[in-house]
Amino acid sequence: MDALSTNAMYTNMTRKSPYDPEPVRDRPRSRIVRAGMSVVEMVVWIVIMAVLAIGMIALLWNVSK
């Protein structure tokens, strides 16, 4: 086989590779763009979880005496 016949064989392929990236669609984005927490929300949740953990430790400490 020469280079021309193999090149023609690959240009006529109809199935695309599953590893190719999806094309970008030009559709309007929704109002909620990202699903994550801000730094303030993360700090508030860490403080809440710390208070709950300290409360549980204190509760278990007092019950075990």
Side-chain angles (χ1 to χ4, degrees):
M1 286 191 156
D2 59 346
L4 292 176
S5 63
T6 57
N7 192 14
M9 181 175 62
Y10 288 120
T11 56
N12 293 331
M13 293 178 70
T14 57
R15 288 183 65 186
K16 75 173 197 173
S17 171
Y19 302 105
D20 287 342
E22 288 293 322
V24 178
R25 293 182 172 87
D26 293 330
R27 61 180 178 187
R29 300 178 98 184
S30 63
R31 292 184 184 185
I32 299 174
V33 178
R34 62 185 181 95
M37 288 193 290
S38 67
V39 176
V40 174
E41 290 171 324
M42 187 171 59
V43 168
V44 168
W45 276 113
I46 289 173
V47 168
I48 290 172
M49 293 300 145
V51 168
L52 289 174
I54 291 170
M56 287 299 292
I57 291 170
L59 181 71
L60 290 172
W61 186 272
N62 289 333
V63 169
S64 66
K65 285 186 177 182

Short mmCIF file of all heavy atoms in Angstrom, two decimals:
data_model
loop_
_atom_site.label_atom_id
_atom_site.label_comp_id
_atom_site.label_asym_id
_atom_site.label_seq_id
_atom_site.Cartn_x
_atom_site.Cartn_y
_atom_site.Cartn_z
N MET A 1 0.85 -1.19 0.00
CA MET A 1 0.00 0.00 0.00
C MET A 1 0.89 1.24 0.00
O MET A 1 1.90 1.27 0.68
CB MET A 1 -0.86 0.04 1.25
CG MET A 1 -2.00 -0.92 1.27
SD MET A 1 -3.03 -0.48 2.66
CE MET A 1 -4.52 -1.16 2.12
N ASP A 2 0.45 2.22 -0.71
CA ASP A 2 1.20 3.46 -0.72
C ASP A 2 0.52 4.47 0.21
O ASP A 2 -0.55 4.22 0.76
CB ASP A 2 1.33 4.01 -2.14
CG ASP A 2 -0.02 4.26 -2.78
OD1 ASP A 2 -1.02 3.77 -2.22
OD2 ASP A 2 -0.08 4.95 -3.80
N ALA A 3 1.13 5.60 0.38
CA ALA A 3 0.64 6.62 1.31
C ALA A 3 -0.69 7.21 0.86
O ALA A 3 -1.52 7.56 1.68
CB ALA A 3 1.68 7.72 1.48
N LEU A 4 -0.91 7.30 -0.42
CA LEU A 4 -2.16 7.89 -0.91
C LEU A 4 -3.37 7.00 -0.60
O LEU A 4 -4.42 7.49 -0.21
CB LEU A 4 -2.07 8.16 -2.41
CG LEU A 4 -1.09 9.27 -2.83
CD1 LEU A 4 -1.03 9.37 -4.34
CD2 LEU A 4 -1.52 10.59 -2.22
N SER A 5 -3.21 5.69 -0.78
CA SER A 5 -4.36 4.81 -0.53
C SER A 5 -4.68 4.73 0.97
O SER A 5 -5.84 4.67 1.35
CB SER A 5 -4.09 3.42 -1.10
OG SER A 5 -2.99 2.85 -0.45
N THR A 6 -3.67 4.70 1.82
CA THR A 6 -3.95 4.65 3.26
C THR A 6 -4.52 5.97 3.74
O THR A 6 -5.41 5.98 4.60
CB THR A 6 -2.67 4.33 4.05
OG1 THR A 6 -1.68 5.30 3.75
CG2 THR A 6 -2.18 2.94 3.74
N ASN A 7 -4.07 7.09 3.18
CA ASN A 7 -4.62 8.38 3.57
C ASN A 7 -6.08 8.48 3.15
O ASN A 7 -6.92 8.98 3.90
CB ASN A 7 -3.80 9.51 2.95
CG ASN A 7 -4.14 10.85 3.54
OD1 ASN A 7 -4.79 10.92 4.59
ND2 ASN A 7 -3.74 11.92 2.90
N ALA A 8 -6.40 8.02 1.96
CA ALA A 8 -7.79 8.05 1.49
C ALA A 8 -8.66 7.14 2.35
O ALA A 8 -9.83 7.43 2.59
CB ALA A 8 -7.84 7.63 0.03
N MET A 9 -8.08 6.05 2.83
CA MET A 9 -8.85 5.13 3.67
C MET A 9 -9.24 5.81 4.98
O MET A 9 -10.36 5.64 5.46
CB MET A 9 -8.00 3.88 3.95
CG MET A 9 -8.70 2.84 4.80
SD MET A 9 -7.74 1.33 4.98
CE MET A 9 -6.29 1.92 5.82
N TYR A 10 -8.36 6.60 5.55
CA TYR A 10 -8.65 7.24 6.83
C TYR A 10 -9.52 8.49 6.68
O TYR A 10 -10.24 8.84 7.59
CB TYR A 10 -7.35 7.60 7.55
CG TYR A 10 -6.65 6.38 8.08
CD1 TYR A 10 -5.37 6.07 7.65
CD2 TYR A 10 -7.27 5.53 8.98
CE1 TYR A 10 -4.72 4.94 8.13
CE2 TYR A 10 -6.64 4.40 9.45
CZ TYR A 10 -5.36 4.11 9.03
OH TYR A 10 -4.74 2.99 9.50
N THR A 11 -9.49 9.15 5.54
CA THR A 11 -10.33 10.33 5.37
C THR A 11 -11.78 9.96 5.14
O THR A 11 -12.66 10.78 5.34
CB THR A 11 -9.83 11.20 4.20
OG1 THR A 11 -9.77 10.38 3.03
CG2 THR A 11 -8.49 11.80 4.50
N ASN A 12 -12.07 8.73 4.72
CA ASN A 12 -13.45 8.32 4.46
C ASN A 12 -14.09 7.63 5.67
O ASN A 12 -15.17 7.07 5.53
CB ASN A 12 -13.50 7.38 3.25
CG ASN A 12 -13.14 8.11 1.98
OD1 ASN A 12 -13.36 9.31 1.87
ND2 ASN A 12 -12.56 7.40 1.02
N MET A 13 -13.46 7.65 6.79
CA MET A 13 -14.04 7.02 7.97
C MET A 13 -15.22 7.86 8.46
O MET A 13 -15.16 9.08 8.52
CB MET A 13 -13.00 6.89 9.08
CG MET A 13 -11.88 5.92 8.77
SD MET A 13 -10.67 5.84 10.06
CE MET A 13 -11.55 5.03 11.35
N THR A 14 -16.31 7.20 8.83
CA THR A 14 -17.49 7.93 9.27
C THR A 14 -17.62 7.95 10.79
O THR A 14 -18.21 8.87 11.34
CB THR A 14 -18.76 7.29 8.68
OG1 THR A 14 -18.81 5.92 9.06
CG2 THR A 14 -18.76 7.43 7.17
N ARG A 15 -17.10 6.95 11.48
CA ARG A 15 -17.18 6.94 12.94
C ARG A 15 -16.08 7.82 13.50
O ARG A 15 -14.94 7.76 13.08
CB ARG A 15 -17.01 5.52 13.48
CG ARG A 15 -18.20 4.64 13.20
CD ARG A 15 -18.00 3.29 13.80
NE ARG A 15 -17.95 3.40 15.26
CZ ARG A 15 -17.68 2.38 16.06
NH1 ARG A 15 -17.41 1.21 15.56
NH2 ARG A 15 -17.66 2.55 17.36
N LYS A 16 -16.46 8.64 14.49
CA LYS A 16 -15.43 9.45 15.10
C LYS A 16 -14.88 8.74 16.32
O LYS A 16 -15.54 7.87 16.90
CB LYS A 16 -15.96 10.83 15.47
CG LYS A 16 -16.84 10.88 16.68
CD LYS A 16 -17.13 12.32 17.02
CE LYS A 16 -17.66 12.39 18.44
NZ LYS A 16 -17.81 13.73 18.90
N SER A 17 -13.72 9.10 16.71
CA SER A 17 -13.06 8.47 17.84
C SER A 17 -13.77 8.84 19.14
O SER A 17 -14.16 10.00 19.33
CB SER A 17 -11.61 8.93 17.90
OG SER A 17 -11.02 8.48 19.10
N PRO A 18 -13.96 7.90 20.07
CA PRO A 18 -14.58 8.26 21.36
C PRO A 18 -13.67 9.13 22.22
O PRO A 18 -14.11 9.68 23.22
CB PRO A 18 -14.84 6.90 22.00
CG PRO A 18 -13.89 5.97 21.36
CD PRO A 18 -13.68 6.48 19.96
N TYR A 19 -12.42 9.25 21.85
CA TYR A 19 -11.48 10.05 22.62
C TYR A 19 -11.40 11.50 22.15
O TYR A 19 -10.72 12.31 22.75
CB TYR A 19 -10.09 9.41 22.59
CG TYR A 19 -10.11 8.01 23.13
CD1 TYR A 19 -10.03 6.92 22.28
CD2 TYR A 19 -10.26 7.77 24.48
CE1 TYR A 19 -10.06 5.64 22.76
CE2 TYR A 19 -10.30 6.49 24.98
CZ TYR A 19 -10.20 5.42 24.12
OH TYR A 19 -10.24 4.15 24.61
N ASP A 20 -12.07 11.81 21.03
CA ASP A 20 -12.09 13.19 20.57
C ASP A 20 -12.91 14.05 21.52
O ASP A 20 -13.94 13.60 22.04
CB ASP A 20 -12.71 13.29 19.17
CG ASP A 20 -11.78 12.76 18.09
OD1 ASP A 20 -10.56 12.65 18.37
OD2 ASP A 20 -12.27 12.45 17.00
N PRO A 21 -12.49 15.27 21.78
CA PRO A 21 -13.29 16.13 22.67
C PRO A 21 -14.62 16.51 22.02
O PRO A 21 -14.72 16.60 20.80
CB PRO A 21 -12.40 17.36 22.88
CG PRO A 21 -11.48 17.37 21.73
CD PRO A 21 -11.28 15.93 21.33
N GLU A 22 -15.61 16.71 22.86
CA GLU A 22 -16.93 17.10 22.35
C GLU A 22 -16.87 18.52 21.79
O GLU A 22 -16.18 19.38 22.35
CB GLU A 22 -17.96 17.05 23.47
CG GLU A 22 -18.31 15.65 23.91
CD GLU A 22 -19.05 14.88 22.83
OE1 GLU A 22 -19.88 15.49 22.14
OE2 GLU A 22 -18.79 13.68 22.69
N PRO A 23 -17.58 18.77 20.72
CA PRO A 23 -17.59 20.15 20.20
C PRO A 23 -18.31 21.09 21.16
O PRO A 23 -19.27 20.69 21.84
CB PRO A 23 -18.34 20.02 18.88
CG PRO A 23 -19.15 18.78 19.01
CD PRO A 23 -18.37 17.86 19.91
N VAL A 24 -17.87 22.31 21.20
CA VAL A 24 -18.47 23.31 22.09
C VAL A 24 -19.76 23.80 21.47
O VAL A 24 -19.79 24.22 20.32
CB VAL A 24 -17.49 24.48 22.32
CG1 VAL A 24 -18.13 25.53 23.20
CG2 VAL A 24 -16.19 23.98 22.91
N ARG A 25 -20.82 23.73 22.22
CA ARG A 25 -22.11 24.19 21.72
C ARG A 25 -22.32 25.64 22.14
O ARG A 25 -22.01 26.01 23.27
CB ARG A 25 -23.23 23.31 22.26
CG ARG A 25 -23.16 21.90 21.72
CD ARG A 25 -24.32 21.07 22.23
NE ARG A 25 -24.38 19.78 21.59
CZ ARG A 25 -23.72 18.72 22.00
NH1 ARG A 25 -22.94 18.80 23.05
NH2 ARG A 25 -23.83 17.57 21.36
N ASP A 26 -22.87 26.42 21.24
CA ASP A 26 -23.12 27.83 21.53
C ASP A 26 -24.53 28.02 22.06
O ASP A 26 -25.39 28.61 21.43
CB ASP A 26 -22.92 28.68 20.26
CG ASP A 26 -21.48 28.70 19.82
OD1 ASP A 26 -20.61 28.60 20.69
OD2 ASP A 26 -21.24 28.82 18.61
N ARG A 27 -24.78 27.48 23.23
CA ARG A 27 -26.09 27.66 23.84
C ARG A 27 -25.93 28.59 25.04
O ARG A 27 -24.85 28.66 25.65
CB ARG A 27 -26.68 26.32 24.26
CG ARG A 27 -25.86 25.59 25.28
CD ARG A 27 -26.50 24.28 25.64
NE ARG A 27 -25.63 23.59 26.59
CZ ARG A 27 -25.81 22.38 27.01
NH1 ARG A 27 -26.82 21.69 26.56
NH2 ARG A 27 -24.99 21.83 27.86
N PRO A 28 -26.98 29.28 25.40
CA PRO A 28 -26.87 30.19 26.54
C PRO A 28 -26.67 29.41 27.84
O PRO A 28 -27.26 28.35 28.04
CB PRO A 28 -28.20 30.94 26.54
CG PRO A 28 -29.12 30.10 25.74
CD PRO A 28 -28.28 29.34 24.76
N ARG A 29 -25.81 29.93 28.68
CA ARG A 29 -25.54 29.28 29.95
C ARG A 29 -26.61 29.63 30.96
O ARG A 29 -27.24 30.68 30.89
CB ARG A 29 -24.18 29.73 30.49
CG ARG A 29 -23.05 29.41 29.54
CD ARG A 29 -21.75 29.90 30.09
NE ARG A 29 -21.08 28.80 30.75
CZ ARG A 29 -19.96 28.91 31.41
NH1 ARG A 29 -19.39 30.08 31.53
NH2 ARG A 29 -19.39 27.88 31.97
N SER A 30 -26.84 28.73 31.88
CA SER A 30 -27.83 28.98 32.91
C SER A 30 -27.28 30.00 33.91
O SER A 30 -26.11 30.36 33.89
CB SER A 30 -28.19 27.68 33.62
OG SER A 30 -27.05 27.17 34.27
N ARG A 31 -28.15 30.44 34.79
CA ARG A 31 -27.73 31.46 35.75
C ARG A 31 -26.74 30.90 36.76
O ARG A 31 -25.85 31.58 37.20
CB ARG A 31 -28.95 32.03 36.47
CG ARG A 31 -29.82 32.84 35.56
CD ARG A 31 -30.94 33.46 36.29
NE ARG A 31 -31.82 34.15 35.34
CZ ARG A 31 -32.85 34.86 35.69
NH1 ARG A 31 -33.17 34.98 36.96
NH2 ARG A 31 -33.57 35.46 34.77
N ILE A 32 -26.93 29.63 37.14
CA ILE A 32 -25.98 29.00 38.06
C ILE A 32 -24.88 28.39 37.20
O ILE A 32 -25.09 27.38 36.54
CB ILE A 32 -26.67 27.93 38.91
CG1 ILE A 32 -27.78 28.58 39.75
CG2 ILE A 32 -25.68 27.23 39.80
CD1 ILE A 32 -28.62 27.60 40.51
N VAL A 33 -23.72 28.99 37.24
CA VAL A 33 -22.65 28.57 36.36
C VAL A 33 -21.76 27.54 37.04
O VAL A 33 -21.36 26.56 36.45
CB VAL A 33 -21.82 29.78 35.90
CG1 VAL A 33 -20.67 29.34 35.02
CG2 VAL A 33 -22.69 30.75 35.16
N ARG A 34 -21.48 27.73 38.32
CA ARG A 34 -20.59 26.80 39.00
C ARG A 34 -21.29 26.27 40.24
O ARG A 34 -22.09 26.96 40.86
CB ARG A 34 -19.27 27.45 39.38
CG ARG A 34 -19.42 28.61 40.34
CD ARG A 34 -18.10 29.31 40.59
NE ARG A 34 -18.30 30.38 41.54
CZ ARG A 34 -18.11 30.27 42.84
NH1 ARG A 34 -17.68 29.13 43.32
NH2 ARG A 34 -18.33 31.28 43.64
N ALA A 35 -20.96 25.05 40.59
CA ALA A 35 -21.53 24.43 41.78
C ALA A 35 -20.41 24.24 42.78
O ALA A 35 -19.71 23.24 42.77
CB ALA A 35 -22.19 23.11 41.43
N GLY A 36 -20.21 25.21 43.61
CA GLY A 36 -19.16 25.14 44.61
C GLY A 36 -19.43 26.12 45.72
O GLY A 36 -20.39 26.88 45.69
N MET A 37 -18.57 26.08 46.73
CA MET A 37 -18.73 26.98 47.85
C MET A 37 -17.70 28.09 47.77
O MET A 37 -16.57 27.87 47.32
CB MET A 37 -18.53 26.22 49.17
CG MET A 37 -19.64 25.29 49.51
SD MET A 37 -19.54 24.73 51.21
CE MET A 37 -18.13 23.67 51.14
N SER A 38 -18.10 29.24 48.25
CA SER A 38 -17.15 30.33 48.35
C SER A 38 -16.29 30.09 49.59
O SER A 38 -16.54 29.19 50.39
CB SER A 38 -17.87 31.67 48.45
OG SER A 38 -18.56 31.75 49.68
N VAL A 39 -15.28 30.88 49.75
CA VAL A 39 -14.38 30.73 50.90
C VAL A 39 -15.13 30.99 52.20
O VAL A 39 -14.93 30.28 53.19
CB VAL A 39 -13.17 31.69 50.75
CG1 VAL A 39 -12.28 31.63 51.97
CG2 VAL A 39 -12.38 31.35 49.50
N VAL A 40 -16.01 31.96 52.20
CA VAL A 40 -16.77 32.29 53.40
C VAL A 40 -17.67 31.11 53.79
O VAL A 40 -17.73 30.73 54.97
CB VAL A 40 -17.60 33.57 53.17
CG1 VAL A 40 -18.50 33.85 54.35
CG2 VAL A 40 -16.69 34.75 52.90
N GLU A 41 -18.36 30.53 52.82
CA GLU A 41 -19.22 29.39 53.11
C GLU A 41 -18.41 28.21 53.65
O GLU A 41 -18.84 27.52 54.58
CB GLU A 41 -19.98 28.96 51.87
CG GLU A 41 -21.04 29.94 51.43
CD GLU A 41 -21.63 29.58 50.08
OE1 GLU A 41 -20.87 29.11 49.21
OE2 GLU A 41 -22.84 29.78 49.91
N MET A 42 -17.24 27.99 53.07
CA MET A 42 -16.41 26.88 53.52
C MET A 42 -15.94 27.09 54.95
O MET A 42 -15.97 26.17 55.77
CB MET A 42 -15.20 26.73 52.59
CG MET A 42 -14.38 25.50 52.89
SD MET A 42 -13.11 25.19 51.66
CE MET A 42 -12.15 26.68 51.72
N VAL A 43 -15.54 28.32 55.29
CA VAL A 43 -15.09 28.62 56.65
C VAL A 43 -16.25 28.45 57.63
O VAL A 43 -16.08 27.88 58.72
CB VAL A 43 -14.48 30.03 56.73
CG1 VAL A 43 -14.28 30.47 58.17
CG2 VAL A 43 -13.18 30.08 55.96
N VAL A 44 -17.45 28.89 57.25
CA VAL A 44 -18.61 28.74 58.14
C VAL A 44 -18.90 27.27 58.38
O VAL A 44 -19.15 26.86 59.52
CB VAL A 44 -19.84 29.47 57.53
CG1 VAL A 44 -21.11 29.08 58.26
CG2 VAL A 44 -19.64 30.97 57.56
N TRP A 45 -18.86 26.44 57.33
CA TRP A 45 -19.12 25.01 57.52
C TRP A 45 -18.04 24.35 58.37
O TRP A 45 -18.34 23.47 59.18
CB TRP A 45 -19.23 24.30 56.17
CG TRP A 45 -20.60 24.41 55.60
CD1 TRP A 45 -20.95 25.08 54.47
CD2 TRP A 45 -21.80 23.84 56.13
NE1 TRP A 45 -22.31 24.96 54.28
CE2 TRP A 45 -22.86 24.21 55.27
CE3 TRP A 45 -22.09 23.07 57.25
CZ2 TRP A 45 -24.16 23.82 55.50
CZ3 TRP A 45 -23.41 22.68 57.46
CH2 TRP A 45 -24.41 23.05 56.61
N ILE A 46 -16.80 24.75 58.22
CA ILE A 46 -15.72 24.19 59.04
C ILE A 46 -15.94 24.56 60.50
O ILE A 46 -15.76 23.72 61.40
CB ILE A 46 -14.34 24.65 58.53
CG1 ILE A 46 -14.03 23.96 57.20
CG2 ILE A 46 -13.25 24.36 59.54
CD1 ILE A 46 -12.79 24.45 56.52
N VAL A 47 -16.34 25.79 60.77
CA VAL A 47 -16.60 26.22 62.15
C VAL A 47 -17.78 25.44 62.73
O VAL A 47 -17.72 24.96 63.88
CB VAL A 47 -16.84 27.75 62.20
CG1 VAL A 47 -17.39 28.17 63.55
CG2 VAL A 47 -15.56 28.49 61.89
N ILE A 48 -18.84 25.27 61.96
CA ILE A 48 -20.00 24.52 62.44
C ILE A 48 -19.61 23.07 62.75
O ILE A 48 -19.98 22.53 63.80
CB ILE A 48 -21.14 24.57 61.40
CG1 ILE A 48 -21.73 25.98 61.35
CG2 ILE A 48 -22.23 23.56 61.73
CD1 ILE A 48 -22.72 26.19 60.23
N MET A 49 -18.87 22.45 61.86
CA MET A 49 -18.45 21.07 62.09
C MET A 49 -17.52 20.95 63.29
O MET A 49 -17.59 19.98 64.06
CB MET A 49 -17.77 20.50 60.84
CG MET A 49 -18.69 20.33 59.67
SD MET A 49 -20.03 19.20 60.07
CE MET A 49 -21.34 19.94 59.16
N ALA A 50 -16.65 21.94 63.49
CA ALA A 50 -15.75 21.91 64.65
C ALA A 50 -16.54 22.04 65.95
O ALA A 50 -16.28 21.34 66.92
CB ALA A 50 -14.71 23.03 64.53
N VAL A 51 -17.53 22.93 65.97
CA VAL A 51 -18.36 23.10 67.17
C VAL A 51 -19.13 21.82 67.46
O VAL A 51 -19.22 21.38 68.62
CB VAL A 51 -19.30 24.31 67.00
CG1 VAL A 51 -20.37 24.34 68.08
CG2 VAL A 51 -18.51 25.61 66.99
N LEU A 52 -19.69 21.20 66.44
CA LEU A 52 -20.40 19.94 66.65
C LEU A 52 -19.46 18.83 67.14
O LEU A 52 -19.84 18.04 68.01
CB LEU A 52 -21.09 19.51 65.36
CG LEU A 52 -22.30 20.35 64.93
CD1 LEU A 52 -22.79 19.91 63.56
CD2 LEU A 52 -23.41 20.23 65.95
N ALA A 53 -18.27 18.77 66.60
CA ALA A 53 -17.31 17.75 67.03
C ALA A 53 -16.90 17.97 68.48
O ALA A 53 -16.83 17.02 69.27
CB ALA A 53 -16.09 17.76 66.12
N ILE A 54 -16.63 19.22 68.85
CA ILE A 54 -16.24 19.51 70.23
C ILE A 54 -17.41 19.20 71.17
O ILE A 54 -17.21 18.66 72.27
CB ILE A 54 -15.77 20.98 70.36
CG1 ILE A 54 -14.45 21.16 69.63
CG2 ILE A 54 -15.66 21.40 71.82
CD1 ILE A 54 -14.01 22.59 69.48
N GLY A 55 -18.63 19.51 70.75
CA GLY A 55 -19.81 19.19 71.56
C GLY A 55 -19.97 17.69 71.76
O GLY A 55 -20.28 17.23 72.87
N MET A 56 -19.74 16.90 70.73
CA MET A 56 -19.84 15.45 70.86
C MET A 56 -18.74 14.90 71.76
O MET A 56 -18.98 13.99 72.56
CB MET A 56 -19.77 14.78 69.48
CG MET A 56 -21.02 14.96 68.66
SD MET A 56 -22.49 14.26 69.42
CE MET A 56 -22.10 12.52 69.33
N ILE A 57 -17.54 15.42 71.63
CA ILE A 57 -16.44 14.98 72.50
C ILE A 57 -16.75 15.30 73.95
O ILE A 57 -16.57 14.47 74.85
CB ILE A 57 -15.10 15.61 72.04
CG1 ILE A 57 -14.68 15.01 70.70
CG2 ILE A 57 -14.02 15.40 73.10
CD1 ILE A 57 -13.52 15.72 70.05
N ALA A 58 -17.25 16.52 74.19
CA ALA A 58 -17.61 16.90 75.57
C ALA A 58 -18.74 16.03 76.10
O ALA A 58 -18.73 15.62 77.26
CB ALA A 58 -18.00 18.37 75.59
N LEU A 59 -19.73 15.74 75.28
CA LEU A 59 -20.84 14.91 75.69
C LEU A 59 -20.37 13.49 76.05
O LEU A 59 -20.72 12.95 77.09
CB LEU A 59 -21.90 14.85 74.58
CG LEU A 59 -23.14 14.03 74.86
CD1 LEU A 59 -24.00 14.74 75.92
CD2 LEU A 59 -23.92 13.85 73.60
N LEU A 60 -19.54 12.91 75.20
CA LEU A 60 -19.03 11.57 75.47
C LEU A 60 -18.10 11.56 76.69
O LEU A 60 -18.07 10.59 77.44
CB LEU A 60 -18.30 11.04 74.23
CG LEU A 60 -19.19 10.71 73.05
CD1 LEU A 60 -18.35 10.37 71.83
CD2 LEU A 60 -20.11 9.55 73.38
N TRP A 61 -17.36 12.63 76.87
CA TRP A 61 -16.45 12.73 78.02
C TRP A 61 -17.26 12.75 79.32
O TRP A 61 -16.91 12.07 80.29
CB TRP A 61 -15.60 13.99 77.89
CG TRP A 61 -14.55 14.12 78.95
CD1 TRP A 61 -14.69 14.69 80.17
CD2 TRP A 61 -13.21 13.68 78.87
NE1 TRP A 61 -13.53 14.64 80.86
CE2 TRP A 61 -12.59 14.02 80.08
CE3 TRP A 61 -12.46 13.03 77.88
CZ2 TRP A 61 -11.26 13.71 80.33
CZ3 TRP A 61 -11.14 12.74 78.13
CH2 TRP A 61 -10.55 13.08 79.36
N ASN A 62 -18.34 13.54 79.33
CA ASN A 62 -19.15 13.64 80.55
C ASN A 62 -19.95 12.37 80.82
O ASN A 62 -20.19 12.02 81.97
CB ASN A 62 -20.10 14.83 80.45
CG ASN A 62 -19.34 16.15 80.54
OD1 ASN A 62 -18.29 16.22 81.15
ND2 ASN A 62 -19.89 17.16 79.89
N VAL A 63 -20.38 11.68 79.78
CA VAL A 63 -21.17 10.47 79.98
C VAL A 63 -20.28 9.33 80.48
O VAL A 63 -20.72 8.50 81.27
CB VAL A 63 -21.86 10.09 78.65
CG1 VAL A 63 -22.47 8.69 78.72
CG2 VAL A 63 -22.93 11.10 78.31
N SER A 64 -19.03 9.30 80.05
CA SER A 64 -18.15 8.18 80.41
C SER A 64 -17.63 8.28 81.84
O SER A 64 -17.07 7.32 82.35
CB SER A 64 -16.97 8.11 79.45
OG SER A 64 -16.14 9.25 79.60
N LYS A 65 -17.81 9.40 82.52
CA LYS A 65 -17.29 9.53 83.88
C LYS A 65 -18.17 8.85 84.88
O LYS A 65 -19.30 8.65 84.83
CB LYS A 65 -17.17 11.01 84.26
CG LYS A 65 -16.00 11.67 83.61
CD LYS A 65 -15.83 13.08 84.13
CE LYS A 65 -14.61 13.70 83.52
NZ LYS A 65 -14.39 15.04 84.02
#
